[in-house]
Structure formats: structure tokens, C-alpha cells
Amino acid sequence: MHLPLPLLLLLAALLGAWFTWLAVRRPDRRRLLWRLQATWGVVACLVLFLAPPKITRTDNASEAILLTEGYHADTLNVLQKRLRPKPQVYAFGVAGEKARQVTDLASFRRQHPSVKTLHVLGYGLPAEELAMLDSLRLVSHLSNLPAGVLTASRPQEITLGDAVSVQGRFHGSAEKKLTLYLQAAGKSRDSVEIRKGADQIFSLRFTPKTAGQFVYTLRWKDEVDSLHQENLPVVVKVPRQLNVLLLSSAPSFEGKFLKNALAQRGHSVAIRNQVSQGIYSTEWVNLPAQNLNRLTPALLKKFDVVLLDDLTLQRLGVQEKQTLQQAVRQQGLGVLTAISQKSPKPMAFFTEGVFRLISEKPARSGAVRWPQQTSAQAVLPLSNIVLQPKEGQQPLAWEQNPTQALVVRSRKGLGQVGISLLPETFPLALEGKETLYQQYWASVLTALAKPEEENTFHITSGWLTPQVHHPITFSFSSASLKFRSLQDSLSSSIAFYAQTSTLIPDLQLGQKWPQNTGWHRVQLSEGSRFLYVYPENAWKLSQLSKNQRLFALRIQKRSPAQMHTALERQEPLPLWLPAFLFLFLLTYLWLEEKI
């Protein structure tokens, strides 16, 4: 109940007079003066409680301060001392002392139309929230980002035997050097030292030993030795089993070693060696016996890659060459022709290359390089010519640099046609470099092989990465795939509903909000796909860095400074001191009466 101030003072005077009369009538008149002062002090405190005095403050209505995550109290104090009159302080997504909480910036703009300039402290605002402040002049007081991984790229799927190569940028600490580790199976596999106070490009590698779904991590310790990490999910697939047809003008060690190497990896191989005119010796590994004397469309349809030498190619009849060309263009068959002649002549379709003489020596040895090569050196016999890649040709192996190619490929229709100047690679196996030998042929055959069926299933996320409690959109072709189920990391099936796209009738679209982190299995009619769902705080530094870049672009378009508008407001005086005095005086009156 609110009493008018005059009535309240009258009642207080009457109450004080009554307390005074009681004190005067008291027989014990010792400490009478102290008792009277304490009595009137209690009455004064009661008046303050019932009608607290107010003080008038002048605020800057046209400016405001917005605190975001990562703000420093020192920056806020300096800013408040500099700005006169003081602006109001608000906090978005973070606790701030004496700051008003803001949960929705759109509502903030409606409630405070007089604010024209906003000083932003901390790490900044997300892009969707920044758009709500489009009409304001923003002033940056952003904090430096903490040390951590800004970006990192790696293959999401690799084939067993290939290396996981992680490349990215690390935001270094301003106080000390840091070490970034690539962890796999509980052990550090590779590391790099990050210089003090600088952004640094890093590159880390690791070669998995088994197939499956794995989560590797990038780990580092900050300035106070707190451990941080970011997850790197990778699917390691079993190598694709290829059907390879070897056509040779004569039995050779090259064919023998290659056959054994491919069979060891589980590939299927058919070999046809010419013994004499029209007479062939044949061999089959992991394949049923069949007639290889003549190349037919039905025969070539069973293979992914055909390897042959230039002499065999020259001896093929016109019909067989046409059949081989049609298989490349229409079926996606890959063909690699090995050149053994000293002065090769380009042959239409199969060996259309630019041959360049680089040495007068008819034969020599040199180091061979290819994209997936490890640090070990592969030295092989080389001819005195190289291939100069022309437009549309991609080097698969080279000598000094890719412009001195030894193996190239080019697309012909659906398939690939390759030319090789390395007719003998088996010396690598003889020297005990079996791993290099396998890597070289895996690289070449994978590049040339008949393409697998196109993946018509796609996953997109509105976040930087698929994260828990954020929507994930699935799209797939209803003609070739049927969605079975989505199974999370806890092996529980998640209901999923898809609808047909209004733009593409053959496309099915669906959306799901995952509730658990970890690997999810997407079961389709043609097998499974694997999806990793990150925790909510994953790759947070990448998001903060993106927010600050967008904020920097936004403030470049800011409008000129506005005139300050003063706003007077009244607020009650803090009552903690009167409350303390009230309790002290009551305690004194009680004790004084007992003495």
C-alpha cells in the first residue's frame, strides 16, 4: 500500500513521539539520550523502507553497449569511463554484472528505437543475429580469439592403404608456443609446433591400418595447460575389388609380378600373352575361365581396366580396336597402354600424347613420383622421353615435376585412356619395396578404373558441420534409392519421413534433428552410408572466426556517428545501508533494556 509522503511523515512523527514518551517514563533514565537517538533512528529507517528516495541518472539514449561471449571486464570499464554520458549496458548470451539481459535482438530494436550506435564487446554475434542490427551503427571492441584450430580439411572417406592428410590453419597463442597433435587409436601419430602469436598453416598425416569408421582428433594445450580437441571422423573403406584384363605381346616378369600383386589384394585378373601369330596363353585369377582370344563387347563388359602394351595394341584388328573404343566411351572402361618403343608414334584415341626427348641416353634410371606416394623414393628404369601433358590430360606419375609426365590419363566419353612410359615396374618388388609397388598400381588403377555407380544420396547441414540438435537435410533419388532407416550411435532407429521435391519429381527430401552425437548409419536399399554428428560446441573457433569476419564487413558499411541523446531516469537508492543500520539499532535497544 503506497502512502502519501506527508501522511507518512505525520505517522512517523506520532510513532516517534510515542516511543519518546515511553522512554521518558521509564524509571531507569541512564543512557536516555542514546535510547532516544536509537528510537528516532529506527523510525527514520522505517520511513526510508516505505518511501525510498530516488536518484536521477542521465544515460546516453542513442548509444548502448552489448556484451557477448568472451568480453573482458577491463575493456568494459575503460569504455564506460570514456563515453559520456554513460550508455546502457546489455548482455546477449552471457552473464554481465549490472547488464540487462537480451534474448532477442529483434525485440531489442523494437524496445529501444532511440539507440543508433551499438558498441559490441566479446567475440561478436552470429550472422543471423547480426542481420537484426542492420540499421544500427556498430562499433567493434571485439576480443582476440583463443588459441585453436580455425580450419581443417581432410578426406571424409579414404581407401585402406591411403593416408589421411589433414591440412588447416591454427590460431596461435600470444603467450607461448603450442604443439598440435594428430591422435589416432589413443596415440599421437603426427605433430607440428605452432609459433607464438601467429596464425600458422599445418599439415599432418596418418595411414590407418584397418577399415571401419574412426574418429581421429586434433589435440593441443592452451596457455594454462587445459586440453582441447576437435574431432575428425573418417570412414576407411575396404579397397574396391577390380576386374583387370592384362594383354601382353609376350610373357614377361612385369605381367607375372603385377598378377601376383593384384591377386594378393583380392582383385580379379585375366591374362592373355601372345605366344605366336594367333596363338595365346591365358590365365585367370579369381575369375572363371573364358575365351580371351578375341575382344568382344560382352567380354569387355566384365572388366574395369584393360592393361596392354603398344605392340599388342598395334596387332589388334580394326574390329577389336573399335570394340575397345566403344567400351571406353559407352561403358566407362579404363585402358592403359604401356609404351616400350624408343621412338613412339601417337596412335589415335589410345596414345594421343606429346612425346618429348630429354636425354640422349637410350636408357637410364630415375626417381618416379605420384600423388599418393609416401616419403620413400621409387627408382625405376626410364626411357629418354617424357610426356608433356596437353589440355585435358592429367599426370598420374612424373619424374622431376608434373610437366615431365611418365603416366597420363584423359577422359574419353565415360571412360579413361592412359599412356605409360613405365613398361617395367617390377624392379620395385624385387628390391623389397612392395608397399611402394602396391601404392603405385593402386593409384594408377583407381584413376583409370570404370566409375562406380553415381552416389545419388546427399547430406547437407545448415551448420558448419552436422551437429546434435541442428537440422540435417537428406536428399536422394527415389528412382535408384529407397531410404530404409537412420540408426544413431546408440543403435536405436530414428523415425524419418521424406517428401517429393516440388521442383524435381524424382528427388526425395527429408529432414531430421539428431538427438545423439557419434556415428549414424543411414540404411538404404543399396547399402549403408555413415554420418557423424558432432557435439554442439564442436569447431566453435571456426564459427567465431566466421562471425568476426562478417562483423568486420558489416562495420565497413556503418553510417556516420549520430548526435548523442540524453535520457534521464530515476532509480531508487540502494537500501542495504539503512537495513544494516535498522538491525543495529534494534539490537542496541534490545540489549540496552536488558542491561
Side-chain angles (χ1 to χ4, degrees):
M1 179 178 179
H2 181 71
L3 295 176
L5 184 59
L7 179 60
L8 181 62
L9 292 176
L10 177 61
L11 293 176
L14 294 175
L15 183 63
W18 183 54
F19 284 155
T20 301
W21 182 69
L22 291 177
V24 171
R25 287 190 58 200
R26 185 181 173 193
D28 186 2
R29 301 180 66 85
R30 294 177 301 167
R31 300 178 294 276
L32 177 61
L33 180 61
W34 292 101
R35 184 173 183 83
L36 291 175
Q37 291 178 348
T39 299
W40 281 99
V42 170
V43 173
C45 289
L46 290 174
V47 172
L48 290 177
F49 292 153
L50 294 175
K54 295 182 179 181
I55 57 175
T56 302
R57 295 187 183 275
T58 303
D59 292 329
N60 191 343
S62 60
E63 288 188 281
I65 297 175
L66 184 65
L67 306 180
T68 64
E69 181 186 4
Y71 83 93
H72 297 296
D74 294 340
T75 305
L76 175 61
N77 294 333
V78 171
L79 188 60
Q80 286 182 311
K81 292 178 181 178
R82 180 167 60 86
L83 298 176
R84 285 291 182 272
K86 286 186 178 181
Q88 280 290 312
V89 181
Y90 301 90
F92 180 75
V94 65
E97 185 179 357
K98 298 181 180 179
R100 299 183 181 183
Q101 290 295 322
V102 176
T103 57
D104 183 11
L105 292 180
S107 300
F108 169 79
R109 289 293 298 119
R110 291 193 298 269
Q111 295 169 4
H112 303 85
S114 60
V115 174
K116 305 299 181 183
T117 301
L118 191 64
H119 298 264
V120 181
L121 281 68
Y123 294 144
L125 295 165
E128 58 273 16
E129 300 294 344
L130 192 62
M132 303 295 178
L133 307 175
D134 191 56
S135 61
L136 294 184
R137 174 178 176 263
L138 302 181
V139 182
S140 173
H141 305 275
L142 299 186
S143 305
N144 292 327
L145 295 176
V149 180
L150 287 175
T151 59
S153 62
R154 90 287 175 195
Q156 297 185 358
E157 290 186 353
I158 65 167
T159 302
L160 184 63
D162 294 342
V164 178
S165 178
V166 184
Q167 297 177 337
R169 178 182 292 273
F170 192 95
H171 180 65
S173 167
E175 299 183 6
K176 69 174 185 178
K177 295 180 180 178
L178 301 175
T179 303
L180 179 64
Y181 299 92
L182 176 60
Q183 297 278 127
K187 296 182 180 180
S188 176
R189 305 297 181 174
D190 200 0
S191 64
V192 62
E193 187 178 84
I194 307 299
R195 297 186 300 272
K196 176 181 176 180
D199 285 6
Q200 182 173 328
I201 301 296
F202 66 86
S203 180
L204 302 169
R205 290 175 63 89
F206 167 64
T207 303
K209 303 299 181 183
T210 56
Q213 295 79 47
F214 302 98
V215 181
Y216 307 128
T217 58
L218 292 173
R219 292 188 177 182
W220 69 95
K221 289 186 177 181
D222 61 15
E223 300 86 344
V224 294
D225 287 339
S226 296
L227 183 64
H228 300 269
Q229 74 174 37
E230 295 291 358
N231 293 341
L232 297 172
V234 177
V235 177
V236 182
K237 300 186 299 183
V238 176
R240 179 185 172 189
Q241 303 302 308
L242 300 177
N243 293 336
V244 181
L245 175 60
L246 298 180
L247 304 177
S248 178
S249 58
S252 64
F253 286 108
E254 179 71 7
K256 179 181 178 181
F257 275 88
L258 183 56
K259 175 201 67 174
N260 294 335
L262 294 176
Q264 184 180 352
R265 287 296 184 99
H267 300 291
S268 302
V269 186
I271 304 173
R272 189 188 79 177
N273 294 319
Q274 185 170 358
V275 178
S276 60
Q277 185 69 28
I279 300 177
Y280 305 98
S281 65
T282 57
E283 188 177 355
W284 301 270
V285 180
N286 300 328
L287 277 175
Q290 50 195 312
N291 187 358
L292 303 178
N293 289 345
R294 185 171 181 82
L295 301 183
T296 63
L299 175 65
L300 296 178
K301 192 174 183 180
K302 301 176 182 178
F303 293 95
D304 300 303
V305 185
V306 174
L307 306 178
L308 71 164
D309 55 47
D310 50 355
L311 292 179
T312 300
L313 181 61
Q314 292 175 6
R315 293 172 183 173
L316 291 178
V318 175
Q319 185 62 39
E320 286 185 303
K321 289 180 182 178
Q322 291 179 353
T323 301
L324 196 57
Q325 290 183 24
Q326 289 178 357
V328 172
R329 293 186 184 277
Q330 299 175 9
Q331 300 175 17
L333 179 68
V335 175
L336 178 66
T337 304
I339 304 295
S340 59
Q341 300 179 35
K342 297 180 180 179
S343 301
K345 295 181 180 180
M347 184 178 297
F349 190 86
F350 296 101
T351 59
E352 296 176 346
V354 179
F355 299 93
R356 183 160 57 91
L357 183 68
I358 64 169
S359 173
E360 296 297 333
K361 297 180 181 180
R364 58 195 178 89
S365 295
V368 179
R369 298 173 177 84
W370 56 89
Q372 286 79 26
Q373 185 182 8
T374 60
S375 58
Q377 192 176 42
V379 179
L380 290 172
L382 302 177
S383 64
N384 58 350
I385 59 174
V386 294
L387 281 162
Q388 183 175 338
K390 59 182 184 179
E391 185 178 359
Q393 288 185 331
Q394 178 188 359
L396 299 181
W398 55 86
E399 189 174 352
Q400 298 295 333
N401 53 69
T403 61
Q404 297 181 353
L406 300 172
V407 182
V408 299
R409 70 167 180 175
S410 59
R411 177 170 292 279
K412 302 286 187 179
L414 297 178
Q416 303 280 347
V417 172
I419 310 171
S420 173
L421 298 180
L422 297 174
E424 293 184 349
T425 59
F426 70 89
L428 285 177
L430 287 178
E431 294 171 6
K433 299 179 180 179
E434 187 68 29
T435 302
L436 268 181
Y437 182 71
Q438 294 275 10
Q439 286 179 353
Y440 167 78
W441 279 109
S443 174
V444 172
L445 292 177
T446 301
L448 293 172
K450 183 182 297 184
E452 297 182 277
E453 291 187 10
E454 184 181 358
N455 182 8
T456 58
F457 182 81
H458 301 281
I459 300 173
T460 57
S461 172
W463 207 244
L464 287 176
T465 54
Q467 289 191 358
V468 64
H469 307 311
H470 287 272
I472 299 176
T473 300
F474 300 86
S475 62
F476 54 94
S477 172
S478 59
S480 59
L481 294 177
K482 290 189 180 300
F483 194 95
R484 300 296 190 191
S485 65
L486 175 64
Q487 195 175 63
D488 63 17
S489 54
L490 301 179
S491 298
S492 58
S493 185
I494 303 174
F496 181 88
Y497 302 96
Q499 62 181 1
T500 304
S501 171
T502 56
L503 299 177
I504 306 175
D506 194 37
L507 190 67
Q508 292 287 318
L509 300 174
Q511 195 175 72
K512 186 63 188 176
W513 295 66
Q515 302 300 313
N516 299 312
T517 61
W519 285 106
H520 288 59
R521 179 192 294 271
V522 183
Q523 193 66 41
L524 304 170
S525 57
E526 295 181 355
S528 301
R529 302 286 190 275
F530 291 94
L531 165 70
Y532 184 81
V533 177
Y534 292 81
E536 280 192 295
N537 59 349
W539 297 100
K540 185 175 181 179
L541 193 63
S542 296
Q543 186 65 45
L544 293 177
S545 177
K546 178 183 176 182
N547 293 343
Q548 290 198 351
R549 291 195 302 270
L550 293 175
F551 190 86
L553 294 174
R554 168 65 178 79
I555 63 177
Q556 289 178 2
K557 305 176 182 178
R558 62 187 180 185
S559 57
Q562 304 290 331
M563 295 293 295
H564 295 311
T565 303
L567 175 66
E568 292 186 353
R569 60 183 176 88
Q570 289 186 334
E571 60 181 33
L573 194 70
L575 297 179
W576 62 269
L577 184 59
F580 176 78
L581 180 61
F582 180 74
L583 292 176
F584 174 77
L585 294 176
L586 287 179
T587 304
Y588 171 78
L589 291 174
W590 181 77
L591 291 175
E592 192 272 341
E593 188 177 357
K594 300 297 181 182
I595 296 176

